[in-house]
Amino acid sequence: MGSVSFASIFANGCRGLPSPALLVRTFGLTHVSLSDHCNKLAQVAWSARTPNTRAFACESTKADVVDVTTASSVNGYPKYDRLLPCPSHNLPPRVEHLVVTEGRRVQEYICKALDLPPLFVADLIHFGAVFYALVCPQPPPTATLEQIRLFKEFTAPSVLKNRSSIKGKTLREAQKTFRITHVDQFVETGTYLRVHVHPKRFPRCYEIDWKSRIIAVADSYVVLDKPAGTSVGGTTDNIEETCATFATRALGLTTPLRTTHQIDNCTEGCVVLARSKEYCSVFHEKIREKTVKKLYLALAAAPLAIGIITHYMRPINMAPRLVSEDKIDKWHLCKLEIIECRKVPWPSSVTKEKYCVEDCYWPSKDYAYECKINLLTGRTHQIRAQLAARGAPILGDSAYMPAALAEITTPGVNPFGKCRKNHSSEDDKEIATTEWIALHGKEPSVAIGLQAFQISWDNGEHIYEAGVPWWRS
């Protein structure tokens, strides 16, 4: 049963929350902007759905979501049926926060509270998109007086002391969220529910011949050539459409495969999946002891010199990842080694269309540069951020290429770049940082020019390589 911090929903910009066009059923909202960078306005509000339901809602907007209002039902939302077959696109984000006012089966309660079909709710639970906490978490600072009153009503000591389910637990422990795993799970009065009505989808999972992507099958592990546009182990709201799930089915295994490490959704290549909880721990220890070696192939838009590239990455768990060549206190060390770099033709329009690769307005499209990279440290988005910082972003990387292009055309715009400007105060530097983040684009939809080409451990005793990268196919 997985645990997820409720506070993280607000810290990451509320990914998966609804757009203003879908607020027909909600009233009394108080919107407060969390951030206005990158043209992605995230707004958060808690609201009472009706005077007697004691429901809370979190709302947001994102500029790149699909507008489905033209096909929506009378209540302002799409007409729901089942989560499968998988749509070719992700629906506009929608997350609902509820407090149970009458104990009953969780499926039944969600159906009634949100006016959703039973099969759709059952699918959400199967996807891992429904969470609960015994006690409602603390509302955000933007909550209204009425919303705070409702929260206090359900968390009043006189109410909590009569709930046997939380006896022996601290309030913090009772507010921890866990995934609902069964449609018949009973939720008592006062229980908090978080429902990801529109989980992030991965249509590519249904297009792949998964057996052909299996590199090796051992007693303790499976090595997979992960396709681009898929998730290794899933997201907060979708643990069904994953490489681990589909590889398990392709091999006909009775015990689900476990993830041991991650690579980005838009990256393809070698991934090790454990066949047991024990080997999962074993492989994690190998990673900690730095006995796992990873080589990557990156298709860069500009040439890179052979040698080690060192940066320091801002310790904020949110994309885009900012890096600096100068050492900054508490920023994380990032090191990679360029082993080879050779000029190759820029991928054809047919190949780019097949893998949904974007040009991002890069001016020169005659040649690209295939680099073999030894990853010396393993930070999220490390290769993507470091190569972009060197003016050689990865092809198709719509999240980092726009910023790299801006730095080339307007030197000094990057507050952490070689041509950075001196700022008179920390406030000025913070403003410059916000403006720099705004120059980054959205996460790629399918593939970028990055492949986890080779993985090895135990001094080369185990070594595996991925197939031909997409740009050579």
Side-chain angles (χ1 to χ4, degrees):
M1 184 178 293
S3 175
V4 177
S5 166
F6 177 76
S8 69
I9 292 293
F10 296 95
N12 68 12
C14 281
R15 196 215 73 74
L17 311 182
S19 66
L22 303 179
L23 302 184
V24 177
R25 296 173 57 199
T26 307
F27 68 92
L29 299 179
T30 303
H31 291 291
V32 176
S33 174
L34 292 181
S35 68
D36 58 2
H37 61 73
C38 202
N39 296 323
K40 296 176 182 177
L41 180 63
Q43 295 177 312
V44 177
W46 280 50
S47 70
R49 185 169 298 277
T50 64
N52 58 4
T53 60
R54 305 298 199 270
F56 298 98
C58 181
E59 317 292 351
S60 78
T61 76
K62 291 189 76 173
D64 56 339
V65 298
V66 179
D67 184 5
V68 297
T69 54
T70 56
S72 63
S73 61
V74 292
N75 62 11
Y77 291 105
K79 184 177 180 180
Y80 297 108
D81 182 21
R82 299 293 299 270
L83 287 181
L84 293 175
C86 184
S88 60
H89 59 266
N90 284 296
L91 286 170
R94 179 186 174 192
V95 173
E96 299 285 351
H97 303 268
L98 308 170
V99 176
V100 176
T101 57
E102 179 184 354
R104 62 177 67 185
R105 293 171 60 250
V106 65
Q107 181 189 29
E108 182 183 352
Y109 189 85
I110 293 173
C111 288
K112 182 177 179 180
L114 300 181
D115 191 23
L116 295 173
L119 289 177
F120 185 83
V121 174
D123 287 347
L124 288 176
I125 292 172
H126 176 69
F127 269 55
V130 181
F131 294 81
Y132 80 97
L134 293 174
V135 176
C136 185
Q138 181 74 35
T142 53
T144 66
L145 292 177
E146 173 62 12
Q147 294 154 7
I148 293 173
R149 185 191 69 77
L150 294 174
F151 165 76
K152 289 181 178 180
E153 176 181 332
F154 281 97
T155 57
S158 59
V159 174
L160 296 180
K161 72 178 182 179
N162 293 322
R163 293 184 58 187
S164 59
S165 61
I166 64 174
K167 286 185 178 179
K169 295 182 174 67
T170 65
L171 182 59
R172 182 183 294 271
E173 290 172 339
Q175 289 175 329
K176 287 184 179 179
T177 53
F178 298 91
R179 185 171 273 121
I180 297 282
T181 58
H182 200 281
V183 293
D184 291 327
Q185 185 168 330
F186 183 83
V187 287
E188 65 182 7
T189 301
T191 300
Y192 160 79
L193 293 174
R194 186 176 79 239
V195 185
H196 296 257
V197 183
H198 297 165
K200 181 175 175 59
R201 305 304 301 274
F202 295 91
R204 281 274 288 166
C205 286
Y206 304 94
E207 303 168 4
I208 302 299
D209 176 4
W210 287 91
K211 279 190 176 181
S212 71
R213 308 293 299 202
I214 304 297
I215 298 173
V217 180
D219 292 339
S220 302
Y221 60 86
V222 170
V223 184
L224 176 73
D225 187 354
K226 173 192 173 297
T230 62
S231 171
V232 178
T235 58
T236 298
D237 51 13
N238 188 344
I239 58 173
E240 166 64 18
E241 294 170 339
T242 72
C243 291
T245 297
F246 280 78
T248 298
R249 291 173 183 166
L251 292 171
L253 301 177
T254 55
T255 302
L257 293 168
R258 296 171 175 265
T259 58
T260 63
H261 62 106
Q262 298 282 349
I263 59 177
D264 294 342
N265 295 345
C266 54
T267 303
E268 65 180 21
C270 297
V271 171
V272 178
L273 302 171
R275 298 187 64 173
S276 67
K277 183 178 180 180
E278 291 73 24
Y279 191 77
C280 194
S281 299
V282 168
F283 201 84
H284 285 163
E285 183 63 25
K286 294 180 186 297
I287 294 175
R288 285 192 293 269
E289 293 176 349
K290 302 186 185 302
T291 62
V292 178
K293 183 177 180 180
K294 300 175 185 178
L295 297 181
Y296 283 78
L297 290 179
L299 194 64
L304 288 158
I306 304 301
I308 293 177
I309 298 178
T310 301
H311 285 94
Y312 295 87
M313 181 176 286
R314 186 174 69 154
I316 294 181
N317 187 28
M318 184 173 64
R321 308 294 171 133
L322 303 188
V323 296
S324 170
E325 290 190 3
D326 295 330
K327 186 175 182 179
I328 300 178
D329 186 40
K330 296 183 180 180
W331 283 36
H332 302 310
L333 174 66
C334 293
K335 294 181 71 174
L336 58 79
E337 180 184 11
I338 306 294
I339 301 174
E340 298 175 6
C341 184
R342 65 188 186 95
K343 182 188 287 188
V344 297
W346 195 275
S348 68
S349 58
V350 173
T351 301
K352 287 186 294 183
E353 183 178 356
K354 179 179 179 181
Y355 293 96
C356 302
V357 177
E358 301 179 43
D359 284 334
C360 307
Y361 304 104
W362 193 258
S364 176
K365 299 182 179 67
D366 295 325
Y367 295 99
Y369 298 84
E370 186 181 277
C371 302
K372 184 181 289 187
I373 297 172
N374 180 17
L375 189 61
L376 301 176
T377 58
R379 306 292 182 188
T380 301
H381 289 199
Q382 179 184 328
I383 296 177
R384 299 165 62 184
Q386 286 197 269
L387 266 57
R390 281 297 179 95
I394 293 172
L395 263 69
D397 196 347
S398 53
Y400 289 90
M401 187 177 274
L405 182 58
E407 173 68 1
I408 292 171
T409 56
T410 313
V413 68
N414 181 356
F416 306 104
K418 287 185 177 180
C419 302
R420 64 187 178 279
K421 300 174 183 178
N422 291 323
H423 300 284
S424 57
S425 67
E426 286 301 315
D427 287 344
D428 286 345
K429 188 169 185 178
E430 186 62 31
I431 291 172
T433 300
T434 300
E435 292 174 348
W436 172 241
I437 292 172
L439 294 173
H440 291 74
K442 64 180 180 179
E443 190 67 7
S445 57
V446 179
I448 63 173
L450 186 61
Q451 181 194 57
F453 157 65
Q454 183 186 96
I455 190 166
S456 61
W457 61 94
D458 294 346
N459 295 319
E461 181 179 343
H462 306 278
I463 183 168
Y464 300 97
E465 293 187 357
V468 176
W470 63 261
W471 56 87
R472 291 193 209 155
S473 61

